[in-house]
């Protein structure tokens, strides 16, 4: 297990071990559908960072610092099945819309810090959340975010604490190049259907629809507008 970043903002949350164990046990659960996360945990490449509350900017510098470290580590030794999990110690009573607002508040703050710290946006993806090739970018690497929280309507997104799971976009491209992406995607969808009784209507392949619609896990219609705006130039 890779430990949280030891660079500039490396304060350790007192609940680090507790929250790390919580997400690891959750991923190990036989019913948890994401086989990629299971592989990351098995390989010791699931990094966990415990933070205070998702509706506060208190830990944003720590999170961004860890994302920069994560991106640099990946460039030095790229490989499949790595996830960076940010687990918040609350609040646990957020409904789906409130969680979605908190998620995008954190994402916006982290992106603004990326600009402030002089990081370039990954040129392989779009910074426009309406674009079907949109992804977030931190430290020059594109990321897809999966939100988890206690009151998610989809069982696969339900977790005891609010959490943001950052997955490197380049890993999906590696799987496509190896001809393994579609098989892995279908396996996850079958497992998710077995858990929920239906397939997630929000899932779409990169390039078909903006992935921003998937981040929070809430089902949204065509009128939904992403609140994220990239503050840099691209």
């Amino acid at each position: 297990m890779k430990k949280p970043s030891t660079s500039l903002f490396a304060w350790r949350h007192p609940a680090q071990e507790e929250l790390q164990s919580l997400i690891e046990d959750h991923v190990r659960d036989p019913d948890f559908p994401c086989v990629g996360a299971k592989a990351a945990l098995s390989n010791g490449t699931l990094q966990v960072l415990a933070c205070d509350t998702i509706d506060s900017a208190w830990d944003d510098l720590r999170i961004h610092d860890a994302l920069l470290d994560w991106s640099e580590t990946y460039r030095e030794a790229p490989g499949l099945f790595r996830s960076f999990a940010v687990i918040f110690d609350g609040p646990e009573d957020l409904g789906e819309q409130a969680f979605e607002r908190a998620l995008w508040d954190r994402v916006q703050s982290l992106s603004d810090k990326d600009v402030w710290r002089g990081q370039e946006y990954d040129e392989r993806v779009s910074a426009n959340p309406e674009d079907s090739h949109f992804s977030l970018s931190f430290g020059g690497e594109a990321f897809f975010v999966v939100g988890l929280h206690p009151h998610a309507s989809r069982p696969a997104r339900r977790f005891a604490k609010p959490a943001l799971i950052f997955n490197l976009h380049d890993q999906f491209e590696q799987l496509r190049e190896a001809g393994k992406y579609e098989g892995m995607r279908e396996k996850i969808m079958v497992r998710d259907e077995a858990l929920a009784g239906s397939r997630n209507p929000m899932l779409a392949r990169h390039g078909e629809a903006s992935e921003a619609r998937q981040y929070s896990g809430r089902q949204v219609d065509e009128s939904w507008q992403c609140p994220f705006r990239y503050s840099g130039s691209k």
Side-chain angles (χ1 to χ4, degrees):
M1 176 65 61
K2 182 175 170 58
K3 299 301 182 184
S5 172
T6 56
S7 46
L8 190 56
F9 300 97
W11 173 78
R12 183 180 175 89
H13 194 282
Q16 173 68 38
E17 292 185 2
E18 174 191 349
L19 297 183
Q20 183 164 321
S21 294
L22 198 64
I23 190 65
E24 290 176 354
D25 289 345
H26 184 74
V27 171
R28 286 192 188 99
D29 190 302
D31 290 333
F32 184 69
C34 184
V35 293
K38 288 180 179 293
L41 179 60
S42 177
N43 294 342
T45 49
L46 172 63
Q47 176 175 327
V48 180
L49 183 70
C51 293
D52 196 22
T53 62
I54 195 173
D55 56 355
S56 166
W58 180 261
D59 288 292
D60 287 356
L61 282 170
R62 290 179 65 233
I63 298 169
H64 186 255
D65 201 48
L67 283 167
L68 293 185
D69 181 65
W70 194 238
S71 296
E72 182 62 27
T73 299
Y74 179 74
R75 277 192 294 272
E76 291 174 354
L80 290 173
F81 307 124
R82 303 182 186 192
S83 290
F84 173 54
V86 180
I87 315 299
F88 297 90
D89 201 20
E92 299 172 18
D93 59 351
L94 297 178
E96 287 198 299
Q97 290 187 335
F99 173 78
E100 183 178 74
R101 287 193 295 270
L103 179 153
W104 286 108
D105 283 347
R106 299 282 62 72
V107 164
Q108 185 70 60
S109 175
L110 294 170
S111 179
D112 291 345
K113 286 167 180 55
D114 210 64
V115 174
W116 168 58
R117 298 175 88 172
Q119 302 299 309
E120 299 292 332
Y121 214 93
D122 190 329
E123 62 182 14
R124 296 168 294 182
V125 297
S126 171
N128 178 2
E130 305 305 320
D131 193 309
S132 61
H133 291 89
F134 168 76
S135 278
L136 294 170
S137 178
F138 304 107
E141 288 290 332
F143 284 86
F144 179 95
V145 176
V146 175
L148 309 175
H149 65 107
H151 300 286
S153 56
R154 297 290 304 183
R157 296 294 192 101
R158 210 171 291 152
F159 179 57
K161 299 284 186 178
L164 302 179
I165 315 300
F166 293 82
N167 293 306
L168 286 150
H169 183 267
D170 188 63
Q171 294 182 114
F172 300 117
E173 296 306 316
Q174 285 190 53
L175 287 168
R176 286 189 180 93
E177 291 174 6
K180 298 179 179 179
Y181 174 78
E182 290 298 332
M184 183 174 174
R185 181 177 185 271
E186 179 63 17
K187 185 174 183 178
I188 292 172
M189 292 182 71
V190 167
R191 290 171 59 86
D192 184 44
E193 183 177 14
L195 183 63
S198 64
R199 293 203 170 194
N200 189 341
M202 299 307 301
L203 295 185
R205 295 174 181 84
H206 187 75
E208 292 181 353
S210 173
E211 65 183 42
R213 299 166 61 85
Q214 303 179 42
Y215 284 4
S216 76
R218 184 173 76 91
Q219 185 171 345
V220 298
D221 58 28
E222 294 301 319
S223 66
W224 181 80
Q225 292 186 327
C226 180
F228 173 77
R229 294 296 178 268
Y230 180 57
S231 61
S233 57
K234 187 178 188 295

